[in-house]
Amino acid sequence: MHEQEQHHDHHDHAHGATPMEELVAMLRYMVGHNAAHTRELAELAGQLDTAGKHGQYEQVMQAVKEYQQANERLQGVLENLE
């Protein structure tokens, strides 16, 4: 499980990077980070399903779907920038 105490350093500035390069790097990081959280949510949903909490499973899986759609939109922005 991804623990919240992890402190992310989102600002690993490369020397000489332009603001746009930094923005693209941050967006690339966020897309990957979001994908990892989506997988974690799907795993939690599976645990709910196993526990017989089918309604809650469906709700979390709907959130996973929406999260994936949003991340795909961000990926499209990233691809357009690169």
Side-chain angles (χ1 to χ4, degrees), residues 25-44:
M26 182 64 183
L27 190 53
R28 188 179 306 117
Y29 166 81
M30 291 302 297
V31 167
H33 187 78
N34 291 348
H37 282 297
T38 302
R39 287 189 298 273
E40 290 171 347
L41 284 170
E43 289 174 14
L44 289 174

Side-chain angles (χ1 to χ4, degrees), residues 1-80:
M1 184 63 60
H2 184 76
E3 296 187 18
Q4 291 301 329
E5 78 238 13
Q6 233 179 9
H7 184 78
H8 299 126
D9 185 2
H10 296 232
H11 304 287
D12 292 333
H13 299 289
H15 294 290
T18 68
M20 183 56 67
E21 289 168 337
E22 290 185 12
L23 189 149
V24 168
M26 182 64 183
L27 190 53
R28 188 179 306 117
Y29 166 81
M30 291 302 297
V31 167
H33 187 78
N34 291 348
H37 282 297
T38 302
R39 287 189 298 273
E40 290 171 347
L41 284 170
E43 289 174 14
L44 289 174
Q47 292 173 22
L48 287 168
D49 196 37
T50 299
K53 303 294 184 182
H54 304 296
Q56 292 85 351
Y57 161 81
E58 292 292 333
Q59 289 296 309
V60 174
M61 287 308 296
Q62 181 62 39
V64 166
K65 180 181 175 182
E66 292 167 4
Y67 212 130
Q68 288 171 328
Q69 290 171 337
N71 211 37
E72 288 169 7
R73 181 167 294 156
L74 293 174
Q75 179 66 39
V77 170
L78 178 60
E79 289 170 2
N80 185 270

